[in-house]
Amino acid sequence: MEVTDSLNFGHKDRKDIYEYIESHGTVREDEVRRALNFDPAALGAHLTILRRDGYIRKVGKHVEVAYAPEKEQTVELGDLDVTIRMAQNVDLESLVDAIHEVADEGRYIEAETVADVLDHEEVVLRHNEVSSRMVFVATVEDELAGWVHLDLPEAEKLSHTAVLTVGTRPEYRGHGIGSRLLDTGVEWARDHGFEKLYNSVPATNETAIEFLEGHGWETEAVRENHYKIDGEYVDEVMMAVSLR
């Protein structure tokens, strides 16, 4: 199942089961049964249908949302072998740490919000009737070096747009990892029918603005004094790129 697929369960109980699994990542079947107070036979029947329809998959005694795997690539960037792949729940702690490390530099407020949401929800990928998200990570020798996050609104009037955040941990900058991650996020969004991406940064983050401009992004609007960083008011630069 793609995170852009429409959801149609045909039965309220199956919808409830999917939503519980989706919001918890990977869970034991008996946990689902206890949490939702299902008869074992009824739960088994619903899980079978959800698996048949491609919504979930079974992993041992656990069940999880059956997100379609994305192509993994390993590239040589200078002296680094960098693997870029779809994020998984096992990446959660490292992902949150990496985003906070970048956001704590005080110049990427949207990324800070992403980290807080991930940390609070304790689930990496999401796909429900309210919102969805896709995340790719870059790893070097199994250490998470950077990420690209796509917030995908489910509201029909906004479904052609997405908000992208991207970042690389300081020790891995200068190798082109950020560019590879950005390209991965943009290509994924274009392949899945999105028409426009947005990213907002403080005006003081000149490096990020130049980086995005170098990849074809443009300033669409400026909100004056939108941020307050270290006691100083800072403008928000709202950047966008068209995928059409």
Side-chain angles (χ1 to χ4, degrees):
M1 180 186 67
E2 300 276 1
V3 297
T4 52
D5 287 347
S6 60
L7 299 170
N8 183 14
F9 303 104
H11 195 288
K12 182 183 181 301
D13 287 347
R14 287 195 286 277
K15 180 175 182 288
D16 291 343
I17 293 167
Y18 172 84
E19 289 180 346
Y20 184 86
I21 297 170
E22 189 271 342
S23 66
H24 287 77
T26 301
V27 295
R28 290 175 60 96
E29 288 187 29
D30 57 356
E31 178 186 336
V32 179
R33 178 178 58 79
R34 289 194 300 271
L36 300 180
N37 195 28
F38 271 99
D39 174 82
L43 176 64
H46 287 311
L47 290 176
T48 296
I49 294 172
L50 287 170
R51 289 199 300 271
R52 181 201 67 189
D53 293 345
Y55 287 115
I56 66 169
R57 58 174 160 248
K58 191 171 182 177
V59 183
K61 295 182 178 180
H62 293 75
V63 286
E64 63 185 18
V65 175
Y67 293 114
E70 296 290 336
K71 182 180 178 182
E72 180 178 306
Q73 58 175 320
T74 299
V75 293
E76 187 175 329
L77 299 178
D79 58 346
L80 298 179
D81 289 329
V82 181
T83 297
I84 297 177
R85 58 173 174 78
M86 185 173 75
Q88 304 171 12
N89 277 333
V90 295
D91 299 310
L92 178 63
E93 184 176 352
S94 296
L95 178 61
V96 171
D97 287 346
I99 299 176
H100 271 307
E101 186 175 356
V102 174
D104 286 349
E105 295 175 323
R107 299 180 301 168
Y108 205 172
I109 313 304
E110 283 205 359
E112 183 177 347
T113 300
V114 168
D116 289 342
V117 170
L118 287 167
D119 195 28
H120 174 72
E121 295 182 353
E122 297 184 336
V123 181
V124 174
L125 304 182
R126 297 298 306 267
H127 180 37
N128 55 58
E129 295 178 344
V130 177
S131 65
S132 300
R133 62 172 172 254
M134 172 58 73
V135 185
F136 292 91
V137 293
T139 60
V140 178
E141 296 182 351
D142 295 326
E143 183 172 352
L144 198 145
W147 85 93
V148 59
H149 171 283
L150 289 146
D151 185 24
L152 315 171
E154 293 295 328
E156 183 178 352
K157 293 179 177 62
L158 293 173
S159 60
H160 62 295
T161 70
V163 178
L164 179 149
T165 60
V166 60
T168 307
R169 301 177 76 171
E171 63 266 35
Y172 290 106
R173 292 173 187 165
H175 297 276
I177 295 175
S179 293
R180 289 282 183 163
L181 284 165
L182 180 62
D183 290 345
T184 297
V186 169
E187 289 171 10
W188 184 91
R190 181 181 287 113
D191 289 345
H192 288 78
F194 290 90
E195 299 175 16
K196 200 168 191 178
L197 296 178
Y198 292 94
N199 192 347
S200 296
V201 296
T204 51
N205 194 343
E206 297 176 356
T207 300
I209 294 171
E210 292 174 1
F211 170 74
L212 291 171
E213 288 177 340
H215 288 80
W217 292 60
E218 298 179 348
T219 298
E220 189 164 275
V222 175
R223 291 202 285 186
E224 295 184 359
N225 300 329
H226 184 65
Y227 300 121
K228 193 172 186 179
I229 302 174
D230 297 330
E232 299 291 333
Y233 290 103
V234 178
D235 294 346
E236 177 191 43
V237 180
M238 304 174 69
M239 305 193 72
V241 64
S242 175
L243 306 183
R244 292 180 294 179

